Amino acid sequence: MSPGIQLTEQGNLRHLLTIEGLSSETLLNILDTAESFITLGRREIKKVPLLRGRTVVNLFFEASTRTRTTFEIAAKRLSADVINLNPTHSSTSKGETLLDTVRTLEAMHTDLFCVRHPESGAPHLIARNVPDHVHIINAGDGRHAHPTQALLDMFTIRAHKGEFRNLRVAVVGDVLHSRVARSQIHALSTLGVAEIRVVGPRTLLPREIERLGVRVFTEMDEGLRDVDVIMMLRVQRERMDGAQIPSEQEYFNLYGLTEERLALADSGAIVMHPGPINRGLEIDSAVADGERSVILAQVTYGIAIRMAVMAIILGGSEPRRSRLPDA
Amino acid sequence: MAHSKEIQSLLESMATQLRERMPADPLLVGIHSGGAWIAAELHSRMGFTEPLGSLDITFYRDDFTRVGVHPQVRASDLPVDVDGRNVILVDDVLQTGRTIRAALNEIFDYGRPRSITLAVLVDRDARELPIQPDVVGRKLELAEHQHVKLAGPDDMQLNILEDGT
């Protein structure tokens, strides 16, 4: 999957498919732009006319209320028209292919697709097959990437901890199945944090993950020692039945984030989680609701980040004014 | 070419004009960045006590689809409610009127002011929209290839630039 497809010839962002291959300037530009959208949420009218007349389609082949809602709010605050589609239940069950679905929607003069798909690479496939004036944002594909989540996480870290290069960050839990973890690690390493750790049971860590430049810890207590940021991952309960996790109780005993374990981290450490959280599985309620938790702030920042990505991608690209009939 | 001293006299003239037509309970708002510098000067000169507002109209520009988002957009900051207030909107150079159009739209997204008075340091007569200033430091007639730009915020001065410089 070539990251080159994400950029125009001038180096501007055309699609956002993965963090991999993007420069720190591009990432910081997104964070800086998001900064200016933060105050908007406190205004009486929470909209700006930036994307007036543009059409954004949230194309979710996998259920997700949270992420879809933040994409929807982001697009609406930019004054775009938003359509939400969940094609698992409509066209694809009638045998329409992914690209047919997209081409049909494209023919309705859509400007931007925010795509979530259970298959890794589906947003890339779409991006390779759309005309120049159509843009794609990956809203999570398989185990591959979830770039806007990673960006909002970076925004959260910068807002609460400042400079990236001084920080030790631990990514904790089911790294193996997590598109969030993959994108987070790429973003953290591009932004030059001092140390990236991954913490979890060996069965849930990808082989050769060290090649991404991370330190691997299978002992939670060791992995958390002196870190500035703890990024918890969601443990999917469906993994419980398999051999990967023995039982919920045992997982919590070994890798659950409790106040005792949090005390091992730096005294100013923050706790993050992409949500939805499993209380008592990967995180104790006292920590999730505690004063070091920035989990709800992440949700708020998520809207500003998605606004920034949409504004950057669609800004500087003239909407197509007239359309020739399809050949 | 106007030097800092000249800026001082332009500011003095703006302050005098503003005092003459001062609305009750005014709220001073500067457009980022030059307008915000001028607004700050007027704010201290005229002894306003209320906090100063600033607007970054990037998200309201009509050329967004051509130029895109600037990397360093400042968040607009209107510290007090604009509802029912007499707003004095300040900018450095009034040229086409498009910036002011965008600023008016943005202000109305914050609330419904009672009135808006437009005060500019320089009125360069090249309007493309029916927008006129109420308070003017100085009028400038320039050739089409010339541009006027305010340098600052320290030692503010007006520079006239030729195309290609």
Side-chain angles (χ1 to χ4, degrees):
Chain A
M1 285 173 219
S2 148
I5 188 179
Q6 301 192 96
L7 302 175
T8 64
E9 275 170 28
Q10 296 78 37
N12 298 322
L13 201 61
R14 189 183 151 211
H15 307 293
L16 178 64
L17 306 173
T18 173
I19 299 290
E20 213 180 338
L22 296 180
S23 66
S24 60
E25 289 72 34
T26 301
L27 301 189
L28 291 171
N29 182 25
I30 295 170
L31 302 192
D32 290 344
T33 307
E35 204 86 55
S36 57
F37 285 120
I38 285 286
T39 52
L40 212 67
R42 296 181 215 130
R43 289 183 1 185
E44 182 172 304
I45 294 181
K46 298 175 176 55
K47 267 179 188 282
V48 288
L50 225 45
L51 299 188
R52 200 160 50 93
R54 303 295 192 98
T55 305
V56 175
V57 173
N58 286 325
L59 194 53
F60 276 57
F61 294 89
E62 189 182 88
S64 158
T65 315
R66 279 170 88 93
T67 305
R68 204 218 61 217
T69 306
T70 53
F71 271 103
E72 182 175 354
I73 290 178
K76 284 182 170 168
R77 291 205 177 147
L78 293 170
S79 305
D81 295 311
V82 187
I83 316 290
N84 294 311
L85 289 174
N86 189 359
T88 28
H89 303 304
S90 52
S91 49
T92 43
S93 54
K94 292 176 199 151
E96 192 178 38
T97 69
L98 175 62
L99 288 179
D100 284 336
T101 303
V102 170
R103 287 194 183 112
T104 306
L105 294 165
E106 214 179 273
M108 299 175 193
H109 302 200
T110 302
D111 299 288
L112 172 68
F113 291 100
C114 306
V115 182
R116 163 157 302 188
H117 202 286
E119 298 291 329
S120 300
H124 282 76
L125 175 68
I126 298 172
R128 275 197 300 272
N129 286 282
V130 290
D132 282 351
H133 64 280
V134 177
H135 306 264
I136 310 295
I137 295 176
N138 181 358
D141 62 328
R143 294 185 191 182
H144 171 242
H146 194 351
T148 57
Q149 177 69 45
L151 285 165
L152 78 89
D153 292 334
M154 298 309 113
F155 188 93
T156 308
I157 292 173
R158 192 173 75 166
H160 291 267
K161 303 300 297 178
E163 279 292 320
F164 290 103
R165 70 184 122 85
N166 304 324
L167 299 177
R168 284 190 190 133
V169 182
V171 179
V172 182
D174 182 0
V175 178
L176 182 63
H177 301 98
S178 176
R179 54 190 172 215
V180 173
R182 239 164 285 271
S183 289
Q184 286 170 337
I185 291 167
H186 285 301
L188 289 166
S189 103
T190 303
L191 293 170
V193 297
E195 185 182 339
I196 309 171
R197 302 179 184 180
V198 295
V199 185
R202 229 174 269 281
T203 48
L204 294 182
L205 298 178
R207 258 183 285 169
E208 300 187 40
I209 181 134
E210 290 89 343
R211 279 168 47 186
L212 293 177
V214 301
R215 289 182 66 193
V216 175
F217 293 80
T218 52
E219 288 283 329
M220 179 80 159
D221 290 3
E222 260 180 69
L224 293 187
R225 207 170 298 278
D226 299 326
V227 297
D228 303 289
V229 178
I230 304 174
M231 306 175 86
M232 300 301 296
L233 298 170
R234 176 179 162 75
V235 172
Q236 280 152 21
R237 286 181 191 271
E238 56 268 29
R239 314 254 174 246
M240 290 294 151
D241 301 332
Q244 287 166 325
I245 297 176
S247 75
E248 291 197 11
Q249 191 54 52
E250 195 174 342
Y251 185 86
F252 182 73
N253 289 344
L254 291 172
Y255 296 101
L257 185 61
T258 58
E259 288 194 305
E260 295 72 42
R261 289 209 166 104
L262 179 54
L264 296 169
D266 182 82
S267 61
I270 53 168
V271 175
M272 299 167 56
H273 192 298
I277 58 175
N278 293 308
R279 292 170 185 271
L281 177 50
E282 70 259 1
I283 190 166
D284 194 33
S285 273
V287 176
D289 305 329
E291 57 174 12
R292 314 275 282 285
S293 162
V294 294
I295 295 171
L296 289 176
Q298 286 176 267
V299 179
T300 307
Y301 299 152
I303 295 169
I305 279 289
R306 284 161 184 134
M307 289 173 76
V309 172
M310 289 178 186
I312 288 169
I313 283 180
L314 289 175
S317 75
E318 293 271 17
R320 203 155 151 181
R321 293 195 197 277
S322 64
R323 193 182 164 87
L324 299 170
D326 286 322
Chain B
M1 186 87 140
H3 294 287
S4 218
K5 259 184 205 162
E6 207 165 343
I7 294 275
Q8 297 287 342
S9 83
L10 295 185
L11 285 167
E12 204 42 65
S13 150
M14 288 175 80
T16 308
Q17 295 172 59
L18 270 174
R19 281 189 199 98
E20 279 165 14
R21 54 176 306 145
M22 181 77 86
D25 200 22
L27 174 65
L28 209 54
V29 176
I31 298 174
H32 182 76
S33 51
W37 305 337
I38 300 296
E41 288 289 328
L42 291 172
H43 192 264
S44 64
R45 239 164 238 270
M46 304 185 67
F48 285 155
T49 48
E50 263 205 304
L52 184 67
S54 71
L55 288 180
D56 185 316
I57 50 95
T58 304
F59 298 140
Y60 291 79
R61 292 174 66 105
D62 55 15
D63 55 0
F64 163 73
T65 55
R66 273 186 290 125
V67 300
V69 190
H70 294 256
Q72 300 297 341
V73 187
R74 310 280 182 89
S76 291
D77 176 27
L78 288 187
V80 294
D81 203 349
V82 300
D83 267 335
R85 298 297 301 269
N86 293 302
V87 172
I88 300 170
L89 181 61
V90 183
D91 203 1
D92 50 357
V93 180
L94 174 62
Q95 186 170 340
T96 61
R98 287 177 194 273
T99 300
I100 303 304
R101 196 280 310 170
L104 293 175
N105 283 8
E106 177 158 12
I107 288 172
F108 277 85
D109 280 355
Y110 279 89
R112 182 182 182 277
R114 183 157 186 276
S115 71
I116 300 178
T117 300
L118 178 58
V120 297
L121 186 71
V122 174
D123 176 8
R124 186 218 162 144
D125 192 20
R127 218 75 77 237
E128 293 169 5
L129 296 175
I131 283 171
Q132 306 307 333
D134 303 297
V135 168
V136 179
R138 175 182 172 190
K139 263 182 176 289
L140 265 183
E141 276 179 35
L142 296 175
E144 219 174 288
H145 66 278
Q146 292 178 311
H147 302 278
V148 57
K149 196 160 172 48
L150 178 67
D154 303 321
D155 307 324
M156 278 194 276
Q157 67 169 32
L158 282 171
N159 297 319
I160 299 192
L161 309 171
E162 307 283 324
D163 259 351
T165 57

